[in-house]
Amino acid sequence: MDHAAKIQGLSTLLVRKRLLEASIAVSLIEQARTGKHNFINLLIEQNIVTSKSLQQLLSDEYGIPALDLATVDVDQIPDEYRNESLIKKHHALPLYVERGVLVVAVDDPINITALEDFQFSFGRRTEPVLVEHDKLSKAIEKILDSGLDDIDLGDVSDDDLADMEVQDTDQHDDDVVEGTDDAPIVVYINKLLMDAIRKGASDLHFEPYEKRYRVRFRIDGILHEVATPPNSLSSRLAARLKVMANLDIAERRVPQDGRIKMRISRTKAIDFRVSTLPTLWGEKIVMRILDSSSAQLGIDMLGYEAEQKELYMNALNQPQGMILVTGPTGSGKTVSLYTGLNILNTEERNIATAEDPVEINLPGINQVQINLRAGLDFASALRAFLRQDPDVVMVGEIRDLETAEIAIKASQTGHLVLSTLHTNSSAETLTRLLNMGVPAYNIASSVSLVIAQRLARRLCSKCKEVEDVPAPVLLTEGFSQQQVDEGLSVYKPVGCDECTGGYKGRVGIYEVMPMTDAIAKIIMEGGNSLQIAQQSQQEGLSNLRQSALRKVAQGVTSLAEAARVTSF
């Protein structure tokens, strides 16, 4: 049975069991057929089924015994069965030999090829056991990457941490001022970095004050204090971080920017963007963890509703026009743009981007780093792009009239242009361009789609609980009378060992507004953002608040979190 037939069979089973809608099944099958996504992974990440329920369903359907992988110590798997290439290829794990038979953990009951390959490789008959997808992924990662996700930092030796490899730096510890290359400082910094990666932090803040020093991690958009080292170590910590980022340790009066590439295991390397800032009591250093996997998520992983995804895809498929993504810093605009660029990134297209800074490398796309000191700003980069025979152009941000005019000219002359602005809503984006001085007819004729977005924390699926919210409160928050009458359930965060305060990960909240004839007419007549927003509502488009409430009704996020990210 080929790969496509196996996916079709599994999706048919789920549709028959009424766990999956036929229309969604078609979309998931198409994504899986491209080879970029695993079908079972898509089911679980989109909360269609849980790992546990899928395991039980498949076990009952196919008559394969189920096993709780938590009861197996993967560290005890014999080395002779740790064929990493086969494990990675088939997403299956040989566990142990029982009565001469090699037992193989799988999450897909019709993964026959895996069993055949393991049998041929090890010369033993194989039998499958069904395990939960999440637990299998963690066990395989532990085998392949020495257990990064499961590592207990308290048990890591100083030697292990001190040996973590920092790449692409020209300076060494012996270049640092006296005392900054002490092993304890090196170990302490490395331990913090590992802890941040393990907890899924996006940023690390090292902050000196008059009488204390603190380290904070930004996890799912919220800062949490994680350490308070002695204030006397402030200069040593700053010097060590600057050495790692190849910055000038003697310069403490002006901000500096750098990057760190740190190899943390045999198969994993993490990139950090480092920024220093002279403050009253020393240098504050912020490190952004650059996660290249976020640029490869795929549009279905971002949280767009079906109709919003369709509008975005339609705009991306146009040969020309302008797509604008708006929202505050940290709202996920870059990921939305990168996702669109990855969809467009084919051999037939010439794609160029101007970014400040270039955070994630996108193979096949010509990325330009803005350098204001050298005179390379967004406008000059955009002019250069238009002489490079582009099909698609991405401008990191439209900050001024000059950049806006060139971008609009490009969108009117056969190019697809993607960019960002900083506004609160889609409607305000259009009036912001008017306020910059862009003529109304240019906006109406060139802008094809505007996306406003926020990032809300996703409720932990392991511990979330139904919240008792009175019906009048639900109505006040924006839910309809029909939803309340039908017994709407909203969930609240609880907190467990697998999450942070009841939340784990984030999901996008979107307001997707195409340029319709009616909206174009309002712009041409000098209308304001309120009129544009009202017209958008009349056309049945969801605003940010309504989109957030849909995520609440789906059990993806909490009512309090929806209010936090959409109250402006």
Side-chain angles (χ1 to χ4, degrees):
M1 186 183 295
D2 63 17
H3 180 63
K6 290 193 294 183
I7 294 174
Q8 186 70 48
L10 182 55
S11 64
T12 301
L13 171 63
L14 293 171
V15 171
R16 177 161 52 86
K17 295 288 186 178
R18 297 185 178 180
L19 296 173
L20 180 64
E21 294 181 13
S23 59
I24 298 176
V26 172
S27 174
L28 296 181
I29 289 171
E30 188 59 34
Q31 293 176 60
R33 279 176 176 166
T34 65
K36 293 182 178 180
H37 302 284
N38 177 278
F39 184 73
I40 291 179
N41 202 45
L42 288 171
L43 291 172
I44 294 168
E45 287 189 352
Q46 297 192 26
N47 294 318
I48 295 170
V49 292
T50 65
S51 289
K52 184 66 178 177
S53 62
L54 183 61
Q55 178 201 27
Q56 193 59 54
L57 170 68
L58 296 176
S59 177
D60 295 341
E61 182 72 18
Y62 291 94
I64 299 175
L67 173 71
D68 184 0
L69 202 52
T71 64
V72 178
D73 184 359
V74 296
D75 291 329
Q76 300 303 316
I77 295 175
D79 291 341
E80 61 185 295
Y81 299 128
R82 294 182 180 229
N83 187 319
E84 296 185 1
S85 61
L86 286 180
I87 291 172
K88 185 175 182 180
K89 175 183 177 182
H90 296 297
H91 196 71
L93 187 62
L95 297 178
Y96 48 81
V97 175
E98 188 174 63
R99 295 190 297 275
V101 176
L102 178 62
V103 177
V104 180
V106 297
D107 58 4
D108 183 349
I110 43 184
N111 192 359
I112 307 300
T113 307
L115 300 176
E116 293 174 346
D117 281 2
F118 283 123
Q119 180 171 320
F120 178 79
S121 179
F122 302 128
R124 286 186 179 274
R125 190 163 63 88
T126 57
E127 286 186 0
V129 290
L130 267 176
V131 298
E132 295 175 51
H133 173 81
D134 292 348
K135 291 181 179 178
L136 179 60
S137 296
K138 286 186 177 181
I140 289 175
E141 187 168 354
K142 188 170 185 179
I143 293 290
L144 298 180
D145 294 333
S146 303
L148 173 62
D149 284 341
D150 298 314
I151 198 165
D152 182 353
L153 292 172
D155 295 334
V156 177
S157 70
D158 288 354
D159 289 340
D160 291 337
L161 287 168
D163 287 341
M164 285 171 60
E165 179 185 354
V166 179
Q167 300 180 331
D168 299 328
T169 59
D170 298 326
Q171 293 175 289
H172 303 283
D173 284 352
D174 51 9
D175 297 324
V176 191
V177 291
E178 183 180 356
T180 56
D181 59 345
D182 290 346
I185 295 293
V186 174
V187 170
Y188 185 72
I189 292 287
N190 289 347
K191 185 173 288 190
L192 283 171
L193 299 185
M194 285 287 284
D195 200 14
I197 294 166
R198 181 176 61 82
K199 291 181 177 180
S202 61
D203 302 85
L204 297 84
H205 291 240
F206 295 82
E207 303 169 310
Y209 297 97
E210 181 181 13
K211 295 182 179 179
R212 64 190 298 255
Y213 191 98
R214 72 176 175 182
V215 181
R216 293 190 291 174
F217 294 168
R218 188 177 293 277
I219 302 173
D220 295 336
I222 304 296
L223 283 168
H224 302 269
E225 185 175 299
V226 296
T228 54
N231 201 30
S232 59
L233 295 179
S234 172
S235 60
R236 294 186 180 187
L237 292 170
R240 171 59 186 166
L241 291 169
K242 289 165 73 175
V243 165
M244 295 172 71
N246 198 20
L247 301 177
D248 183 357
I249 63 171
E251 179 57 77
R252 303 183 182 91
R253 300 166 297 175
V254 297
Q256 297 185 65
D257 295 294
R259 293 174 76 100
I260 297 172
K261 186 178 186 66
M262 175 173 282
R263 184 160 296 283
I264 57 174
S265 76
R266 194 155 41 84
T267 58
K268 284 205 174 193
I270 300 291
D271 290 316
F272 299 84
R273 191 183 78 205
V274 182
S275 172
T276 74
L277 179 69
T279 68
L280 188 61
W281 306 107
E283 287 182 285
K284 173 177 178 175
I285 297 179
V286 175
M287 305 176 69
R288 164 70 54 88
I289 299 177
L290 305 178
D291 182 8
S292 59
S293 64
S294 64
Q296 307 291 336
L297 286 177
I299 192 168
D300 291 288
M301 298 292 102
L302 301 185
Y304 285 93
E305 302 295 339
E307 65 274 15
Q308 294 175 333
K309 172 191 169 184
E310 183 179 2
L311 289 170
Y312 191 16
M313 293 299 294
N314 288 342
L316 289 172
N317 288 326
Q318 298 301 314
Q320 65 184 53
M322 181 181 290
I323 300 173
L324 296 174
V325 183
T326 183
T329 301
S331 60
K333 299 188 298 296
T334 301
V335 173
S336 284
L337 288 176
Y338 278 3
T339 300
L341 290 175
N342 275 321
I343 292 171
L344 296 169
N345 188 13
T346 62
E347 184 180 349
E348 296 81 17
R349 291 189 179 95
N350 175 24
I351 304 177
T353 73
E355 305 173 59
D356 185 21
V358 175
E359 293 192 353
I360 297 173
N361 177 40
L362 299 175
I365 294 177
N366 308 290
Q367 296 174 272
V368 174
Q369 169 72 55
I370 295 302
N371 187 342
L372 296 179
R373 291 183 179 179
L376 180 60
D377 57 12
F378 284 117
S380 57
L382 195 47
R383 285 195 199 92
F385 289 167
L386 297 181
R387 297 190 291 270
Q388 292 272 316
D389 184 32
D391 297 297
V392 180
V393 170
M394 193 271 272
V395 185
E397 183 183 349
I398 294 179
R399 298 175 177 172
D400 51 46
L401 177 59
E402 183 182 16
T403 305
E405 287 178 334
I406 302 170
I408 284 176
K409 179 182 177 182
S411 70
Q412 293 172 334
T413 54
H415 307 92
L416 182 62
V417 179
L418 291 79
S419 190
T420 70
L421 279 88
H422 285 93
T423 59
N424 283 329
S425 67
S426 297
E428 291 177 38
T429 301
L430 300 176
T431 55
R432 173 68 58 84
L433 291 174
L434 284 170
N435 293 336
M436 281 185 179
V438 179
Y441 61 85
N442 275 340
I443 299 174
S445 63
S446 59
V447 176
S448 54
L449 188 74
V450 184
I451 302 173
Q453 67 179 79
R454 301 290 187 275
L455 285 178
R457 288 179 292 172
R458 189 188 291 268
L459 283 167
C460 175
S461 60
K462 303 287 186 183
C463 65
K464 67 180 181 181
E465 292 182 355
V466 174
E467 183 176 12
D468 184 18
V469 181
V473 175
L474 293 175
L475 293 172
T476 302
E477 291 292 338
F479 289 107
S480 68
Q481 185 66 56
Q482 180 181 353
Q483 287 176 300
V484 175
D485 292 341
E486 291 176 353
L488 171 72
S489 293
V490 300
Y491 292 83
K492 64 180 179 180
V494 177
C496 65
D497 293 339
E498 300 210 5
C499 65
T500 303
Y503 296 98
K504 186 175 183 180
R506 289 191 287 179
V507 64
I509 307 294
Y510 302 95
E511 175 184 283
V512 182
M513 187 181 75
M515 178 64 73
T516 62
D517 291 341
I519 292 175
K521 182 179 179 181
I522 293 173
I523 295 171
M524 293 295 293
E525 293 175 349
N528 56 38
S529 60
L530 181 59
Q531 292 171 301
I532 296 172
Q534 289 173 340
Q535 179 60 39
S536 177
Q537 288 284 286
Q538 290 176 15
E539 295 180 8
L541 301 173
S542 298
N543 59 29
L544 283 168
R545 180 66 175 173
Q546 292 163 340
S547 294
L549 292 179
R550 289 176 74 172
K551 292 292 188 293
V552 174
Q554 294 164 6
V556 175
T557 191
S558 67
L559 193 57
E561 183 67 4
R564 183 182 71 85
V565 299
T566 61
S567 57
F568 53 86

